[in-house]
């Protein structure tokens, strides 16, 4: 739901270029798949070769290891210097200095987390100069109509063919506390699932 809303809350993405930060993460991995399904060209940033392979399997057209590659140069080269239309961002505070340099005019940054810097300075002037929309989101606060649209579209996406679900770990409902610890540890690759039937 977070991945879908980050991508489609501001309209269709067909023909657009989307950057997904953390393209192998729980949200990012789905964002890459949804973006390809929605007709976008997709750039994914990752922090390792293993995560890069996950992002490629999900359909990313370009995978950039932000630890040792120039994300801005690669994104600008892919877009012919125009910049990206949408960003699905896992760390607004940690990424904003880089993100601003690769955004197209009239683009959107969808932010669902900001762990690197929880109280970032928002560079309003730079956002305004390119007419960049900053969309912040957390699922429980989104409009019901948007969540209903997400449910319907995700259902279509699931029915349209085989999908890649990266399951990092699965826990019984009685082990929910351990599931939270697995997420908080920060070294998982994929989604932690709590199975209510177990």
């Amino acid at each position: 739901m977070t991945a879908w809303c980050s991508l489609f809350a501001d309209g269709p993405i067909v023909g657009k270029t989307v950057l997904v930060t953390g393209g192998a993460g729980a949200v990012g991995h789905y964002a890459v798949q949804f973006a390809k399904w929605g007709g976008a060209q997709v750039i994914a940033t990752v922090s390792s070769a293993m995560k890069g392979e996950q992002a490629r399997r999900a359909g990313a057209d370009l995978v950039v290891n932000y630890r040792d590659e120039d994300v801005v140069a690669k994104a600008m080269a892919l877009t012919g210097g125009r910049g990206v239309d949408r960003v699905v961002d896992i760390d607004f505070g940690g990424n904003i200095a880089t993100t601003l340099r690769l955004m197209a005019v009239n683009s959107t940054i969808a932010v669902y987390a900001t762990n690197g810097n929880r109280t970032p300075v928002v560079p309003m002037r730079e956002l305004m100069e390119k007419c960049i929309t900053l969309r912040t989101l957390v699922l429980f606060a989104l409009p019901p109509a948007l969540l209903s649209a997400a449910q319907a579209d995700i259902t279509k996406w699931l029915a349209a063919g085989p999908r890649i679900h990266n399951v990092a770990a699965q826990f019984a409902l009685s082990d929910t506390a351990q599931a939270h610890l697995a997420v908080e540890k920060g070294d998982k690759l994929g989604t932690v699932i709590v199975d209510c039937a177990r």
Side-chain angles (χ1 to χ4, degrees):
M1 294 286 285
T2 299
W4 190 95
C5 291
S6 295
L7 285 165
F8 298 107
D10 294 289
I13 58 172
V14 63
K16 298 191 180 294
T17 300
V18 173
L19 171 69
V20 178
T21 64
V27 173
H29 189 70
Y30 283 110
V32 170
Q33 292 182 75
F34 288 147
K36 288 306 296 180
W37 185 63
Q41 177 174 243
V42 182
I43 304 166
T45 63
V46 297
S47 60
S48 71
M50 181 177 71
K51 290 179 179 180
E53 186 51 40
Q54 292 292 330
R56 275 186 204 86
R57 283 185 52 231
D61 299 290
L62 174 65
V63 175
V64 184
N65 185 330
Y66 66 85
R67 293 184 192 260
D68 58 19
E69 295 181 284
D70 186 332
V71 177
V72 174
K74 297 254 183 176
M76 295 307 269
L78 186 70
T79 62
R82 192 180 63 77
V84 303
D85 302 293
R86 301 262 170 99
V87 172
V88 176
D89 199 1
I90 190 172
D91 187 9
F92 176 78
N95 292 334
I96 189 60
T98 300
T99 304
L100 279 175
R101 295 171 47 220
L102 54 74
M103 299 302 295
V105 173
N106 295 309
S107 55
T108 301
I109 303 171
V111 179
Y112 65 91
T114 185
N115 295 329
N117 179 356
R118 290 181 180 267
T119 56
V121 173
V122 177
M124 284 307 297
R125 188 69 197 172
E126 290 89 340
L127 292 169
M128 290 168 60
E129 286 171 354
K130 288 187 173 180
C131 292
I132 298 170
T133 299
L134 181 60
R135 170 174 290 283
T136 59
L137 60 128
V138 62
L139 285 181
F140 69 81
L142 290 175
L146 180 62
L147 296 175
S148 293
Q151 290 171 343
D153 217 30
I154 291 168
T155 300
K156 287 183 206 167
W157 175 77
L158 287 167
R163 304 299 176 200
I164 302 171
H165 305 285
N166 282 346
V167 178
Q170 191 166 347
F171 294 88
L173 184 59
S174 59
D175 295 324
T176 299
Q178 286 77 18
H180 280 282
L181 290 173
V183 170
E184 291 168 12
K185 190 175 174 189
D187 63 352
K188 67 177 183 58
L189 182 58
T191 303
V192 172
I193 294 174
V194 175
D195 187 348
C196 296
R198 289 178 49 200

